[in-house]
Amino acid sequence: MSVHAPEMPIEVNAETGIWTTDALPMLYVPRHFFVNNHMAIEEELGPERYAEILYPAGYKSAWHWCEKEAECHGLSGDAVFEHYMKRLSQRGWGLFSIENLDIAAGTARIRLDHSAFVYQYGKVDRMVDYMFTGWFAGAIDQIAESQGLSVRTVAHQTQSGAQSGCDYGLFEVSPI
């Protein structure tokens, strides 16, 4: 196994302790801490209800992230979504790859290898990466609006690496 230093800029404000990458403040927490909190909420609410709550929150967060990062780096169109997938991968959520992307049509297919959730959950024969679904729709919708397009999307997970017989996750984005 080879390792390397982070591929994104991380600045720490000496007076406040706030970590920043590009245009946004960040938190740095152990994966088990985050996923264990996620699992505790899921146990209380059930995965379906928790997914319903996370979707609009993730959508809103992705919209904001794409807006700020596009402005910070002078990006537009597909480049914003590609940058988003790169940064998600660099931050340890898993390795995201775009299998297809058509912002104007409101469609995308994203593959997820090495999911942080799958590493923590293991093979539990269900989809565990649902937190990401709202992220993909929010990102595509923000990019579309910035280009003057009226398309709005919805995202669904179609498979997870936590399911028997599956080695990776897949997500589909389509117009509403």
Side-chain angles (χ1 to χ4, degrees), residues 107-127:
T107 61
R109 181 178 166 105
I110 300 101
R111 176 178 169 150
L112 172 58
D113 290 281
H114 305 288
S115 165
F117 291 101
V118 173
Y119 280 140
Q120 197 73 15
Y121 277 85
K123 289 285 187 186
V124 292
D125 288 325
R126 66 181 180 89
M127 291 185 248

Side-chain angles (χ1 to χ4, degrees), residues 26-40:
M26 306 296 285
L27 297 175
Y28 182 62
V29 299
R31 179 178 66 205
H32 75 272
F33 173 82
F34 182 88
V35 179
N36 284 342
N37 278 277
H38 175 88
M39 293 169 94

